[in-house]
Amino acid sequence: MLELLLRFRKNPVAFTADVKSAFLQIELDLRDREFTRFFWTDNLNNNPYVLNFTRVLFGLRPSPYLLAATLKHHFKKYKEQYPHTFDLLNSSIYVDDFICGRNDVPDALRTTLECLQIFSDASMLLRKWRTNSKQLDLLWQQEGVETEFSETSATDLKPPIKVLGLAWDSEKDLIYFDPKDLLKFMSRKTESKRFILSVVGRIFDPIGILGPFVIKLKCLLQDLWTLGVDWDSELPPKLRHKWQQWSSEAEGLTEIKIPRFYLGDVDQELSSVDIHCFSDASKSAYGTILYLRFVTCNNKIETSFICSKSRVAPLKSLTLPRLELTAALLSARLAKQVSSCLKFNANIYYWTDSLISYYWICGDSSAFKPYIKNRVQEIQLLSDPSQWGHCPGKDNPADLISRGTSAVKLAQNELWWHGPPWLKLAPDHWPNRQRDILDSELCSEELEYRSSVHVAVTQQRESLVDINRFSSLKKLLKVTAWVFRFVNNARIVNKSMNFYITADEIQNAEYFWLKYVQYEFYSAEILTLKRNEQLRCSSEIKSLVPYLGEDNLLRITGRLL
């Protein structure tokens, strides 16, 4: 869904439609209809009789899959005839909604007519077409396309519609979260954990335009869980005040709207495109925000909000540098998703205001503790350390996610919507990306270097025979016996000239391999038992009560002993 919305904002001409009664257009196989039986009666005084559905049901768990699979199967027929529309349909359908965009009106009209033809061949109707282009809307009317408001004139104002849960004002080409239903629900003035959770569930913000405001409510909900407040109990006074404050600020959500099209009113060719990713964390939350920075052929530089992600800090206490690193990882993951979705030929830059996490990302991951190592490895897999830079905290828009803000302040915050002012300047005016970090700026304990353990090896055991070359134990023992005889003959004068391996030699070879394997896997246990000490609780074989026999082989106590 996020990728659909990201692509929806990519092109200047956008349009949407939906499939009329989509599920009911798909017929069920005769063998599957028996699983959709139900009781029915025309008269309550008569006994009910059994019927079954013949079409895919709306509301069943497999129904969206059946619809999607059927559509994709149908689209394959047009791969050669309409190659561009075929690719578009495969990436622009969500259940029964069609969400698309094109670079110009003629291309959009051609796509519309081809889509109508493809769906018509499947006895399906694409209807309720809506676009931000008045020219395309007029062309649709001339072609007889059923638009969202076919009965209204082109000059009439059209109310916003829902696009995957977000409101789209096609007249002004703005997208936003419509808080009307949320405010109506909150007017009940209930104050409980159950009610707050319901409020959180009613906020649908897949691209994260409300991140700094919503994160405050999520942190409040986490506090309620931490304190163990019951579902319908009264809120503690301090948390009740936070909830009342957040509720009073929710009306400001009506002010938050962003342009649907990334480039806005820019109609010039672009000379370069960058994606800038900022991340930040606090003890309560962390997150990331992405911007599109583009330079026109006239050297005009503009920035545009792409999306953001916010997370509540885990209940398990983590140091602030670790949370900053987790935010950086979230930034790298989101940037990967966005870049592969939008397919801009863009350079990607990552920014953090944490010197320690910046030091980790640019360093050797193997030098740090496992928590740091694992995340740095993934970050370095998703990005190159040279793409990362350190920026001042006051210039980091992700700081708003980590500490939260009110809806009214968020709507007026230029840093959140367009990034730091230096993004609109040439790279020479950016913070020094490859700055050297002084030792005095970092605390060695916070760097969490991996501890080095030096082990003195008291005995080195090397096998004269490569055990991996044998698939048979019998052959391994026989070859080992021959090797031992050769070594023995090289050391003593009275050499064994027997042409056959004896039973004693086979037994000695078996004894050698038993000791070799035991020492390889249980050397610590063997040394402990030799010192007549108790095995550690972490030992895998402690419960078996092992002991050393007279032949120094590791054995376990059996029932017969």
Side-chain angles (χ1 to χ4, degrees):
M1 184 177 292
L2 172 62
E3 294 181 355
L4 269 174
L5 287 171
L6 292 175
R7 285 193 292 267
F8 180 61
R9 301 182 59 202
K10 183 179 179 180
N11 301 104
V13 180
F15 47 94
T16 63
D18 70 62
V19 185
K20 181 180 180 180
S21 304
F23 293 107
L24 297 180
Q25 307 306 314
I26 303 175
E27 191 174 17
L28 285 174
D29 189 273
L30 289 174
R31 295 168 296 179
D32 297 331
R33 295 180 184 180
E34 292 300 313
F35 298 99
T36 65
R37 290 180 294 181
F38 61 95
F39 288 110
W40 184 259
T41 180
D42 298 320
N43 190 335
L44 295 178
N45 296 322
N46 299 332
N47 292 329
Y49 50 93
V50 177
L51 296 177
N52 60 259
F53 287 97
T54 61
R55 303 290 175 134
V56 172
L57 293 174
F58 178 81
L60 291 184
R61 183 175 296 179
S63 295
Y65 165 76
L66 293 173
L67 175 61
T70 303
L71 290 177
K72 286 185 179 295
H73 176 74
H74 177 65
F75 295 157
K76 289 180 182 178
K77 303 175 184 178
Y78 302 89
K79 186 175 182 179
E80 302 296 333
Q81 186 178 359
Y82 305 128
H84 297 293
T85 304
F86 166 78
D87 293 334
L88 190 69
L89 285 172
N90 277 304
S91 60
S92 303
I93 294 284
Y94 185 80
V95 190
D96 60 346
D97 291 325
F98 177 54
I99 302 149
C100 185
R102 279 301 194 221
N103 286 326
D104 52 52
V105 171
D107 194 13
L109 179 62
R110 178 183 59 81
T111 300
T112 301
L113 298 178
E114 290 179 357
C115 288
L116 285 170
Q117 181 62 49
I118 291 173
F119 276 87
S120 176
D121 292 346
S123 299
M124 293 184 177
L125 174 63
L126 273 177
R127 58 170 189 168
K128 295 184 179 180
W129 289 84
R130 185 74 175 267
T131 180
N132 64 319
S133 170
K134 293 183 179 180
Q135 182 183 355
L136 179 60
D137 199 23
L138 289 173
L139 292 173
W140 279 348
Q141 294 182 30
Q142 294 173 10
E143 295 288 342
V145 176
E146 182 182 343
T147 60
E148 177 84 9
F149 303 99
S150 297
E151 66 279 2
T152 62
S153 65
T155 58
D156 291 337
L157 292 178
K158 301 177 177 63
I161 62 169
K162 291 285 187 178
V163 177
L164 298 182
L166 290 180
W168 177 36
D169 184 349
S170 59
E171 292 292 318
K172 299 178 181 178
D173 207 13
L174 300 174
I175 58 175
Y176 56 94
F177 171 77
D178 188 354
K180 187 191 310 179
D181 294 336
L182 176 66
L183 295 175
K184 182 179 179 181
F185 178 76
M186 291 173 58
S187 64
R188 295 159 55 179
K189 302 294 183 182
T190 306
E191 296 180 349
S192 67
K193 186 171 77 172
R194 186 188 305 276
F195 184 75
I196 293 176
L197 182 61
S198 298
V199 171
V200 173
R202 280 171 165 76
I203 301 175
F204 185 72
D205 181 28
I207 59 177
I209 57 178
L210 311 178
F213 180 64
V214 176
I215 197 66
K216 293 170 59 179
L217 187 60
K218 292 181 179 179
C219 290
L220 171 60
L221 188 61
Q222 187 185 59
D223 291 339
L224 291 172
W225 279 101
T226 305
L227 294 175
V229 178
D230 291 335
W231 284 106
D232 300 306
S233 300
E234 290 187 3
L235 303 181
K238 185 177 180 180
L239 297 184
R240 183 170 65 249
H241 174 71
K242 287 185 177 181
W243 162 245
Q244 291 172 349
Q245 182 180 8
W246 190 92
S247 301
S248 63
E249 295 172 352
E251 294 183 0
L253 291 173
T254 56
E255 304 296 324
I256 300 178
K257 298 180 181 181
I258 64 171
R260 178 205 56 83
F261 184 38
Y262 292 121
L263 306 188
D265 298 329
V266 176
D267 57 356
Q268 304 173 15
E269 291 188 9
L270 304 181
S271 60
S272 67
V273 178
D274 301 330
I275 295 177
H276 288 259
C277 317
F278 294 83
S279 60
D280 194 30
S282 68
K283 283 293 186 179
S284 56
Y286 64 93
T288 180
I289 181 171
L290 276 61
Y291 298 95
L292 193 69
R293 177 185 181 272
F294 48 93
V295 183
T296 67
C297 294
N298 295 336
N299 291 325
K300 182 182 179 182
I301 303 175
E302 294 291 343
T303 59
S304 177
F305 174 94
I306 298 179
C307 62
S308 77
K309 287 285 185 183
S310 59
R311 297 284 185 271
V312 177
L315 290 175
K316 180 181 178 181
S317 180
L318 295 176
T319 63
L320 189 56
R322 285 193 172 197
L323 287 169
E324 294 273 9
L325 184 65
T326 306
L329 176 58
L330 181 65
S331 185
R333 288 173 176 171
L334 184 59
K336 180 70 174 180
Q337 183 181 9
V338 169
S339 61
S340 61
C341 170
L342 295 181
K343 293 182 171 57
F344 283 127
N345 185 19
N347 298 314
I348 303 178
Y349 299 93
Y350 301 89
W351 300 94
T352 176
D353 58 13
S354 168
L355 277 176
I356 295 178
S357 60
Y358 174 67
Y359 180 84
W360 283 334
I361 293 169
C362 296
D364 180 9
S365 61
S366 61
F368 306 113
K369 291 182 179 180
Y371 185 95
I372 311 301
K373 172 188 173 183
N374 294 336
R375 283 150 184 80
V376 170
Q377 281 182 339
E378 185 175 351
I379 290 173
Q380 293 178 348
L381 184 66
L382 296 171
S383 63
D384 191 273
S386 62
Q387 295 176 279
W388 286 83
H390 178 267
C391 70
K394 63 181 179 63
D395 292 339
N396 190 351
D399 179 64
L400 291 167
I401 295 177
S402 64
R403 56 185 175 85
T405 188
S406 68
V408 174
K409 291 181 179 179
L410 182 64
Q412 301 169 353
N413 196 304
E414 284 294 313
L415 180 64
W416 174 255
W417 300 117
H418 298 285
W422 45 262
L423 272 188
K424 294 187 178 182
L425 302 176
D428 297 341
H429 296 85
W430 298 354
N432 185 8
R433 294 182 53 78
Q434 306 301 328
R435 60 160 292 184
D436 295 327
I437 302 177
L438 302 177
D439 293 338
S440 59
E441 296 181 278
L442 301 176
C443 175
S444 59
E445 294 181 358
E446 290 182 325
L447 293 179
E448 300 194 47
Y449 281 112
R450 196 168 192 167
S451 301
S452 298
V453 180
H454 300 280
V455 180
V457 180
T458 58
Q459 183 177 3
Q460 184 175 0
R461 304 177 63 89
E462 292 187 4
S463 172
L464 297 175
V465 180
D466 184 4
I467 193 173
N468 296 315
R469 296 178 57 188
F470 299 91
S471 59
S472 166
L473 176 62
K474 182 178 180 180
K475 190 172 183 180
L476 171 66
L477 296 179
K478 191 173 182 180
V479 171
T480 304
W482 277 111
V483 171
F484 282 171
R485 178 185 287 189
F486 172 80
V487 173
N488 185 64
N489 287 345
R491 289 176 177 174
I492 62 177
V493 178
N494 297 324
K495 300 177 176 58
S496 173
M497 303 303 294
N498 195 342
F499 291 101
Y500 301 99
I501 294 296
T502 64
D504 289 338
E505 289 176 312
I506 293 293
Q507 188 175 3
N508 289 336
E510 184 178 14
Y511 173 75
F512 165 79
W513 281 114
L514 286 172
K515 287 196 67 176
Y516 181 88
V517 173
Q518 285 187 354
Y519 198 89
E520 182 177 358
F521 290 95
Y522 304 111
S523 58
E525 285 83 353
I526 293 173
L527 293 175
T528 301
L529 292 174
K530 282 184 177 180
R531 294 194 296 265
N532 294 322
E533 297 176 357
Q534 293 290 329
L535 295 183
R536 294 183 178 181
C537 295
S538 59
S539 173
E540 297 177 349
I541 60 174
K542 179 178 174 60
S543 60
L544 300 177
V545 194
Y547 70 96
L548 285 180
E550 295 179 357
D551 52 4
N552 284 326
L553 283 178
L554 195 61
R555 301 175 182 273
I556 61 173
T557 304
R559 293 183 179 180
L560 299 179
L561 296 180

